[in-house]
Structure formats: C-alpha cells, structure tokens
Amino acid sequence: MEQAEPRPRPEHAPALGDVSAPGRLAGPDEGISGAELALATRNHGLPLEALRHDTTPPGLHYVLVHYDIPYAPDGPGDRWTLTVEGLVDRPLTLDPAALRERPAVTHRVTLECAGNGRARLAPRPVSQPWLTEAVGTADWTGVPLADLLAEAGVRPGAVDVVATGADHGVERGVEQDYARSLSVAAATDPARGVLVAYAMNGAPLPPQHGRPLRLVVPGWYGMASVKWLRTLTVTDTPFTGFQQTVAYRYRQASGEPGDPVTLIAPRALMVPPGFPDFMTRTRVVRPGPVPLTGRAWSGHAPVARVEVSWDGERTWTDAEVTADPVRPWAWAAWHVTWHARPGPYTLTVRATDGAGHTQPLTAPWNRGGFGNNLVQRVELLCLA
Ligand SMILES: Nc1nc2c(c(=O)[nH]1)N[C@H]1C(S)=C(S)[C@@H](COP(=O)(O)O)O[C@H]1N2
Ligand SMILES: [Mo]
C-alpha cells in the first residue's frame, strides 16, 4: 500500500514542538485552527439560555484554564496549604479547614474572561476563541483577603500582593506558575471585597473553578481571580510576572508596554428568544409578543440602562433593569417585550453603566483581543 504523504503544515502554524511561539494574529481568511478548537473545548462558555439563572449552576458557568487543572481532592486528610508570606510580620500557613473556621462572607459576583468577544475581532488574535459567552455569576464564600493580610500584618513599604496558583505551564516560551498581583490598596479595599473563596454556590469549589481555594476579585476581569491558590506574597516592588506585564495588556502593537487589563467593561446579553435552528443557531419565533430577557453587568459601576433594537439599530427601546443594590458585583436582570411580525431580524442589546460607559457598535480592537464588549446581535426569523 502506498504511504500517504505527510500533509504540509499550514504556513501560519507554529513549528512542531515550538513552545516559544509569540502571540499572533490570524490571517485574513484563516479559520479557527485545531489548536484554538482544542482550547475552546476545554474552556467552555455559558450556554446563553443559562442567563435565566440568578446564579449560574456550576457546570454552566464559563471555565478558563491556561494550563492543566491541578489534581486536588477536597476531603479529610487531603493536604493543601495556603501560605501568606513576604513583607508581613507573621507569615501564615493555612489549610482549607483553618480558613473555614474563620468568619466567612459570601459575595455574589459576575466573572467574565477578559478575552470574551475575541473571536469577533478582525484580525483575530489567535487564542481562546470566545464569542460572547465567557461569563457566569456565583455566590462565592470565603475569607476576606483583607482579614488574612491584617492577621499576617502587612509591613510598611508593601506594594503588591502576588497570588500564585498550583498550575504550571509554558506560555510564549516562559515557563511559569500562574500568578497575578493586586496592589495592597486593592487587595484590602473593603469596597472591592476580594475573597479567598472555598465555596461556590454553597458547595466546595469544583476542580475546574479552583478547588480547594481561589481568589475572587469582584468587578475585575477573571484573570485576577487566581484559582488553586497556593501562595500570597506581599512584595515591596511591583510584580512583573508574565500574566501581569506580558499577557493581559491593552496594546495596539506587540512590543508596546500597553495598559493593564483591570475592570470589566459593561455588557448586556440576551437569553436567545424562541427556539434555535440546530446548525446555525438562528432563532425562530412566532408572531406576537416576544418577551426579551437577559443580564447586564459592568465592573466600573452598576448598570444604569439597557436598550434593545429590533430595527437594525435605527431605534432603541429601554428595557426594565432590575439591579440588586446589596449585590453590586452581580449582574442585573433586564426585560422588555417585543411585538414580532413575520420576517428576518437582527436584535441588538446594549448596556450603559452608571459611570457613563456604553457598549460600542463596532468592536474595540487590541492585539490580545481583550475587553471586546461589542454589542450582542441575535439573528432571528419570525415565522408567518
Ligand atoms: N491558577 C489559575 N487561575 C486562573 C486561571 C488559570 O489559568 N490558572 N485563569 C484565569 C482566567 S483568565 C479566568 S477568566 C478565570 C476563570 O475562572 P473560572 O474558570 O472559574 O470561570 O480564572 C482565572 N484564574
Ligand atoms: Mo480569562
């Protein structure tokens, strides 16, 4: 039998075994690659119909994992220690049980990946190819980070708190444990409410969400909420780790220092109305009143306004927005009724937050594909 010729590797694919390939942009006609598909099957989004739940059932909450999910059983006898070290008077070594003995707080927090919307950009930054679904809301229970830092006694001259996870990998040639920092001011700000969490929606953290311990940083894009938390290090110099100064920067060109990715930009999402076509996911509705519902959030300020357009963005109708004043970090619910007549439509929804930020009608582009809060557009057919 004839041996099949090995297929030439596409020009744009990194060479086999190259673990130091730089970040790159997809070519003009380059579809989603096998490597991006492999990321997309590991890092799944929120099925948009799950926007109906106030808190997202774990399993439907989006997941983003840079490397591998560490194996961390959460039972008696299982050893996991979190250390609080560096520029502190009393370094701490705590296991999950010791954390559970401390006064607990629960915050309802909407987390969103900074890369949400990336796959809608042109040119497309080659990475996890999110559309609009990298979001979820959970009740996170744990100990305020401020309490642990107070217990350890942060010394004068402290600048950053570096959170390091147990997961290890290589990214653009840099071998690393996943690590991110917060300023001491942000880490201890009671209005920010940063938590070392051990429970999600009242149950121990699922493996993919950081079992047994994770940071939860309300209002910030997800990269700040370090999972599988092992170490909190108080430093006297600004942290310059990969995820802080190389990844997660808003840049127009590679090589620029860029601006740090921090707070979540406003976004509204709609529960796709009616029912879907299997392949295209085009929505199908019948004529008459169609209730449109969804969620909206912003890390800058509570959502002030949600508008929907069903005439191709010529006119906008205000939705009724129900925010929960005691849960400022959770998404708000919105609803409005549309009276559908037969025909094809594109429904658009956009949010504005109390700080005056509105979702754009054209995608804000940057090299890493971060913070693309372009409005959601839902293709729909109203039957005769
Ligand atoms: N240790 C560790 N923490 C991590 C990550 C990671 O890869 N490793 N991913 C971050 C990113 S980019 C996001 S968006 C959130 C996702 O949290 P979730 O999977 O619980 O939704 O976790 C953050 N924390
Ligand atoms: Mo992310």
Side-chain angles (χ1 to χ4, degrees):
M1 259 226 309
E2 221 176 296
Q3 192 83 26
E5 280 286 306
R7 268 192 301 157
R9 292 180 64 74
E11 223 173 277
H12 51 75
L16 272 179
D18 184 359
V19 295
S20 42
R24 66 180 192 87
L25 304 174
D29 298 315
E30 184 186 334
I32 300 283
S33 66
E36 286 169 290
L37 176 61
L39 281 175
T41 56
R42 290 178 57 78
N43 298 310
H44 68 77
L46 171 96
L48 294 185
E49 59 274 30
L51 289 165
R52 292 191 178 95
H53 301 268
D54 289 337
T55 55
T56 311
L60 299 184
H61 193 286
Y62 89 99
V63 172
L64 192 294
V65 178
H66 280 238
Y67 313 129
D68 290 346
I69 298 170
Y71 180 66
D74 191 26
D78 294 324
R79 291 202 187 91
W80 185 279
T81 50
L82 168 66
T83 58
V84 183
E85 57 189 44
L87 208 62
V88 294
D89 292 326
R90 297 166 294 277
L92 307 176
T93 301
L94 304 162
D95 62 10
L99 283 166
R100 280 191 288 265
E101 281 162 13
R102 285 168 167 72
V105 294
T106 298
H107 294 323
R108 183 164 297 177
V109 177
T110 296
L111 280 184
E112 181 179 14
C113 181
N116 203 12
R118 178 182 289 126
R120 297 256 189 248
L121 294 172
R124 183 181 81 256
V126 174
S127 183
Q128 166 65 29
W130 295 120
L131 298 169
T132 53
E133 65 295 85
V135 66
T137 296
D139 285 333
W140 301 98
T141 302
V143 180
L145 177 57
D147 290 6
L148 294 179
L149 292 173
E151 198 175 320
V154 173
R155 289 205 195 139
V159 173
D160 276 349
V161 179
V162 182
T164 306
D167 49 330
H168 189 87
V170 57
E171 213 165 323
R172 287 178 252 167
V174 181
E175 195 179 324
Q176 57 190 287
D177 295 331
Y178 186 91
R180 285 275 314 181
S181 68
L182 291 169
S183 68
V184 171
T188 55
D189 180 1
R192 175 63 52 201
V194 181
L195 280 185
V196 174
Y198 47 75
M200 177 186 195
N201 296 346
L205 298 182
Q208 69 275 26
H209 293 297
R211 176 176 294 187
L213 299 174
R214 77 173 302 170
L215 218 55
V216 174
V217 184
W220 283 54
Y221 280 117
M223 74 281 148
S225 293
V226 175
K227 302 191 275 190
W228 312 294
L229 185 64
R230 277 282 200 209
T231 323
L232 292 164
T233 311
V234 180
T235 63
D236 60 359
T237 51
F239 178 60
T240 58
F242 184 92
Q243 304 299 339
Q244 206 77 24
T245 57
V246 181
Y248 298 110
R249 310 289 290 197
Y250 293 110
R251 302 186 171 92
Q252 289 304 307
S254 58
E256 289 173 7
D259 294 321
V261 175
T262 58
L263 299 180
I264 300 176
R267 188 192 297 276
L269 288 178
M270 182 184 308
V271 174
F275 54 90
D277 170 60
F278 172 57
M279 262 321 293
T280 61
R281 297 211 55 85
T282 295
R283 309 304 300 187
V284 182
V285 300
R286 299 190 197 288
V290 177
L292 302 177
T293 66
R295 305 283 172 173
W297 61 93
S298 167
H300 294 269
V303 169
R305 189 174 193 193
V306 173
E307 303 157 280
V308 178
S309 176
W310 38 73
D311 61 3
E313 296 164 24
R314 281 193 293 276
T315 65
W316 297 84
T317 301
D318 273 283
E320 197 167 311
V321 180
T322 316
D324 184 342
V326 302
R327 293 180 171 127
W329 303 299
W331 55 25
W334 59 264
H335 74 94
V336 63
T337 302
W338 171 48
H339 294 273
R341 284 196 296 258
Y345 293 87
T346 302
L347 306 187
T348 309
V349 59
R350 74 174 172 203
T352 301
D353 69 22
H357 306 285
T358 298
Q359 284 184 258
L361 300 179
T362 55
W365 192 90
N366 58 79
R367 191 75 174 52
F370 299 121
N372 174 13
N373 65 336
L374 173 70
V375 289
Q376 180 197 20
R377 296 188 172 109
V378 178
E379 302 293 313
L380 180 146
L381 178 68
C382 179
L383 300 173

